[in-house]
Amino acid sequence: QIGKAASRQNLALYTARAMQLGPAAATLQGGSLPFQDADDVASQNRSSVYLLSKFKVVEGMENNQFQPKGQATRAQVAQMLKNYVESRF
């Protein structure tokens, strides 16, 4: 929704689509997320989070947590975009 902050897991989904990883994410089977709270990532977002973590676009928060339901801050969005540009994807 316009004007509403996105969760980190939804931001990962949108970023994966922008990177044109949507088809790969849709067909991905398995793949273990490297975060302690991986079970909290919604099933429809798991493959996007997985791919972005492999490309080093998303990184964990403190204590190796992704905090998928937390609101993405402007600083986190900026960091993800920076990581995307530097990823050589």
Side-chain angles (χ1 to χ4, degrees):
Q1 284 182 333
I2 296 175
K4 184 177 178 189
S7 67
R8 280 186 269 287
Q9 64 183 346
N10 285 344
L11 181 60
L13 176 69
Y14 307 145
T15 303
R17 287 179 182 168
M19 292 175 68
Q20 308 221 348
L21 293 172
T27 60
L28 185 65
Q29 298 291 322
S32 176
L33 294 177
F35 307 110
Q36 287 184 345
D37 57 351
D39 291 341
D40 295 338
V41 177
S43 61
Q44 68 268 21
N45 296 330
R46 289 183 70 79
S47 56
S48 295
V49 173
Y50 173 79
L51 289 172
L52 293 185
S53 70
K54 287 297 178 189
F55 287 115
K56 307 283 190 223
V57 174
V58 297
E59 299 172 350
M61 306 283 283
E62 55 192 47
N63 299 324
N64 194 36
Q65 302 230 343
F66 183 64
Q67 298 178 358
K69 296 176 184 172
Q71 291 184 346
T73 65
R74 289 180 185 169
Q76 291 165 344
V77 172
Q79 185 65 53
M80 283 180 66
L81 292 173
K82 179 180 181 282
N83 293 348
Y84 165 61
V85 168
E86 294 175 349
S87 71
R88 294 192 165 109
F89 171 73

